[in-house]
Amino acid sequence: MTFPKRMIAWLGALVGVVVLTGNGFAETVTAARLQAATTDNENWILPGRDYANQRFSPLAQITPANVKKLVPKWIYQTGIAGTFQTTPLVADGVMYVTTPFSNVAALDARTGREIWRYDHKLAPGYKLCCGPANRGAALGDGAVLVATVDAHLVALDASSGKVRWDVALVDSAAPDAGGKSEDKTSSLGADDVRLKANVQGQTGVGSAAAPLVVGDLVIAGINGVGYGLHLDSNRPGSPLGTVVGVSGRFGRPGFIAAFDIKTGKRVWQFDTTQAGWEGQYASTTPDGVPLHRDIDAERAAATKFSDAWRYGGGSSWPTPAYDPALGLIYIGVGNPSPQASGETRPGDNLYTVSLVALDVHTGKRVWHYQLVPHDVWGYDVASPPVLFDATVDGKSVPAIGHASKLGWYYTLDRRDGRLLFKSEPFVPQQNLFARATEDGLVVAPGVGGGANWSPTSFDATNGIAYVAAMHMPSLYKIGVIPATGEKAAVEFATIEPEKVPQWGTLTAIDVAKTGKIVWQRKTEQPLIGGVLATAGGLVFSGEGNGDFSAYDAKSGDHLWSFNCGAGVNAPPIAFQIDGREYVAVAAGGSQIWGFPQGDAVIVFGLSE
């Protein structure tokens, strides 16, 4: 559902809210203020609210006792009905939202009235990787910063929306120039049978995550490099319309990089796949789960495919967390390329499917923890990492946590990457790490997770993380496009949705001490979008059917819901203006998950 075209602020007018006065723009969001964001109760100035990515609001006006009085206060329509994943930012009475296709709007946070808008012009020849979604902006140095779906980083003046600078994240001379990563015969070895196969495909390269501002640096990465190919072949047996893995060389390494906030000049870059990515040929995950790999075959193929890292993928999906005391940022890395097909990339494929700690000033790797060596299931590290203090053997340990696609929440020592413990499974697990077959093998969690890109929320007062996840098993198959005439046969692997009941889970987990599940609520639809917990004792989350709901943080009881007319597949935030608490969320659905699309940002508050 969409409301009448560009219907904004009429609900705000009904409740008599006032118009923005004074400066109000993000010029006042300094480096010192970002570092102190945890104590800024009224605003939401970082994508994860604070550098720890805890996404916990200290506001407590809205409680289980009065949440049923929550009503829409204003609605802003972007005019673009599409996959909507933004985390709104609020600074001193101004809200900043990104839309599908990486447009940016500044709004009066009291009324929803548009102050300015930047409409991004896509690069020529651009091809979508994974839909048009953008997950939010960053603030700093009087600028609003956005990483775009066509792999640009843009700095906008916070008061006017005018472009300060615009830099391409990807070198125009690279294999993925123009926003494409193509599988063509020009990238194949001379003895590769696919030279005669006439099978091509492509996937886009872009950036979806909100950047992170640290001091005078803006940190952003690219995605799409390990997503898989959409085959263009019309030969019999070709799985058209399915994302597949085809053994061979295509694409490029993923990366995350830092840029000067005043000029856009690149300061450092960390490539997520590098020479030596074969690693130790681990037969198990770091926590001891068997991977069922043919290690001998991989070692035998290592010389032939010694340059596989050059095409190795490793997208950067989440906004990093940052520890100022250690001077480290923590990034999550996606799956290797080719997706689902590992024959031409022997080894562990470092640093894909990993949590990685980098020196914020140099980009040098300090440690890594690879959840799945040699991944062929698509288990990206997609949900943003979270920093908190854990208790181990009675002692406080600076920790980092991650809600994984595997269905476990991992708690690590953030100083050295040592695993402290992992949680009980928060989704069903079946045939985990089993290999694909010709007939197809059902694996749960599937390629979607588990916890997908959805941010979690962490309450430091009780050590509880609130995790939105999905039960969506996948069918993993291997197949062959038969040879025809001079065209050679081509082996491929596919990951397809399995036609079984699907649902979501909203789970409270003690991630600071035990890893035990405190409570869990099953939802009608798989949960994708994220969670907000508040000091008022509430947990907010949305569903693809349009329901935006509040739950009791202690028990998981469902307390309130409002149907937004389109899928609520974006992270909620909370902010305060004029002494009143508000909750905001985007309702635009998700094409890739099949949820109804729309174009609204809705702000809720207590009725008068």
Side-chain angles (χ1 to χ4, degrees):
M1 179 181 93
T2 58
F3 299 95
K5 182 70 172 175
R6 305 287 288 169
M7 178 190 69
I8 57 175
W10 68 273
L11 287 167
L14 288 177
V15 297
V17 290
V18 296
V19 185
L20 178 70
T21 58
N23 189 333
F25 293 103
E27 284 99 336
T28 56
V29 179
T30 62
R33 187 173 171 188
L34 289 173
Q35 190 157 322
T38 301
T39 61
D40 186 349
N41 294 354
E42 296 187 355
N43 298 289
W44 192 290
I45 58 176
L46 280 161
R49 190 180 174 274
D50 49 36
Y51 277 136
N53 275 344
Q54 291 187 358
R55 287 183 177 259
F56 179 85
S57 171
L59 300 177
Q61 283 185 359
I62 304 171
T63 69
N66 62 20
V67 70
K68 292 186 184 301
K69 297 181 179 180
L70 208 60
V71 296
K73 291 295 185 178
W74 57 257
I75 299 167
Y76 171 77
Q77 287 191 272
T78 68
I80 304 173
T83 303
F84 206 178
Q85 299 176 349
T86 190
T87 292
L89 301 176
V90 177
D92 307 321
V94 180
M95 177 181 289
Y96 302 90
V97 298
T98 61
T99 78
F101 299 103
S102 309
N103 304 321
V104 183
L107 312 174
D108 184 332
R110 294 178 173 87
T111 67
R113 295 188 182 277
E114 187 175 283
I115 301 168
W116 57 254
R117 177 168 170 143
Y118 163 77
D119 289 316
H120 183 65
K121 301 296 186 288
L122 296 179
Y126 166 73
K127 180 178 177 64
L128 282 172
C129 154
C130 326
N134 183 280
R135 295 177 183 162
L139 303 176
D141 193 45
V144 182
L145 302 116
V146 59
T148 69
V149 290
D150 57 346
H152 279 240
L153 182 61
V154 183
L156 307 171
D157 185 273
S159 61
S160 67
K162 293 182 179 180
V163 176
R164 287 187 176 180
W165 48 259
D166 179 342
V167 298
L169 293 173
V170 175
D171 185 347
S172 61
D176 48 10
K180 296 181 181 179
S181 180
E182 298 196 7
D183 177 18
K184 290 189 173 180
T185 55
S186 60
S187 68
L188 303 181
D191 59 345
D192 198 309
V193 296
R194 291 186 309 145
L195 283 170
K196 298 180 180 180
N198 195 30
V199 173
Q200 299 181 14
Q202 59 185 6
T203 184
V205 173
S207 188
L212 182 71
V213 173
V214 176
D216 57 0
L217 299 177
V218 186
I219 299 165
I222 61 171
N223 56 248
V225 292
Y227 187 69
L229 293 180
H230 303 262
L231 288 189
D232 300 333
S233 172
N234 58 4
R235 288 164 52 188
S238 178
L240 293 178
T242 301
V243 177
V244 305
V246 179
S247 296
R249 302 178 176 93
F250 65 91
R252 57 155 297 146
F255 66 79
I256 193 163
F259 302 81
D260 186 287
I261 197 169
K262 294 187 181 296
T263 65
K265 181 180 179 181
R266 195 172 307 231
V267 177
W268 56 254
Q269 178 172 310
F270 174 78
D271 287 346
T272 55
T273 64
Q274 305 176 14
W277 80 325
E278 295 83 3
Q280 302 299 312
Y281 291 86
S283 60
T284 70
T285 64
D287 48 314
V289 183
L291 290 168
H292 311 295
R293 293 170 62 178
D294 188 342
I295 300 295
D296 291 340
E298 288 184 42
R299 289 188 181 276
T303 300
K304 180 178 181 180
F305 298 108
S306 61
D307 64 344
W309 65 270
R310 297 182 182 275
Y311 315 94
S315 292
S316 177
W317 289 112
T319 300
Y322 168 53
D323 184 335
L326 295 177
L328 300 179
I329 63 167
Y330 302 89
I331 69 171
V333 184
N335 54 265
S337 176
Q339 183 189 40
S341 182
E343 293 81 1
T344 55
R345 49 175 175 85
D348 295 342
N349 306 147
L350 298 172
Y351 298 97
T352 63
V353 194
S354 296
L355 285 166
V356 183
L358 304 177
D359 185 301
V360 70
H361 301 294
T362 66
K364 300 294 185 184
R365 181 182 62 87
V366 175
W367 60 257
H368 75 277
Y369 181 90
Q370 189 175 38
L371 277 71
V372 185
H374 194 77
D375 172 71
V376 291
W377 303 274
Y379 290 140
D380 311 72
V381 175
S383 181
V386 182
L387 308 185
F388 53 87
D389 291 332
T391 301
V392 179
D393 297 329
K395 297 180 180 179
S396 180
V397 178
I400 179 173
H402 169 65
S404 73
K405 279 190 171 184
L406 297 165
W408 288 302
Y409 193 104
Y410 291 81
T411 299
L412 286 71
D413 187 323
R414 68 175 181 263
R415 297 169 298 186
D416 56 17
R418 177 173 54 94
L419 178 66
L420 300 175
F421 52 85
K422 67 181 183 183
S423 74
E424 298 173 322
F426 52 80
V427 292
Q429 295 173 326
Q430 174 186 358
N431 293 327
L432 201 60
F433 304 131
R435 297 284 156 162
T437 66
E438 291 184 7
D439 294 331
L441 181 71
V442 177
V443 177
V447 67
N452 199 276
W453 67 269
S454 305
T456 62
S457 185
F458 176 79
D459 184 349
T461 61
N462 56 25
I464 303 296
Y466 300 94
V467 179
M470 57 177 68
H471 174 63
M472 292 183 67
S474 294
L475 185 68
Y476 290 74
K477 298 176 67 175
I478 54 175
V480 177
I481 303 176
T484 58
E486 294 184 355
K487 299 175 183 178
V490 176
E491 297 181 357
F492 63 88
T494 65
I495 306 173
E496 305 169 13
E498 174 64 0
K499 297 178 181 179
V500 297
Q502 302 173 351
W503 63 81
T505 59
L506 181 63
T507 310
I509 307 172
D510 182 342
V511 301
K513 293 182 179 179
T514 67
K516 299 292 186 181
I517 291 176
V518 178
W519 57 256
Q520 182 173 89
R521 185 172 183 90
K522 185 176 177 180
T523 60
E524 177 183 335
Q525 294 184 314
L527 293 185
I528 182 79
V531 183
L532 167 70
T534 73
L538 295 170
V539 177
F540 291 91
S541 187
E543 292 185 64
N545 59 12
D547 284 349
F548 182 52
S549 298
Y551 302 85
D552 189 301
K554 292 183 178 179
S555 65
D557 291 342
H558 184 272
L559 302 176
W560 167 91
S561 66
F562 178 89
N563 192 278
C564 298
V568 181
N569 304 118
I573 69 158
F575 63 97
Q576 182 173 290
I577 293 182
D578 301 327
R580 296 181 65 86
E581 178 182 353
Y582 298 93
V583 176
V585 73
S590 178
Q591 183 179 23
I592 195 171
W593 302 108
F595 297 137
Q597 295 178 279
D599 68 344
V601 175
I602 306 177
V603 169
F604 298 87
L606 294 174
S607 59
E608 300 294 337

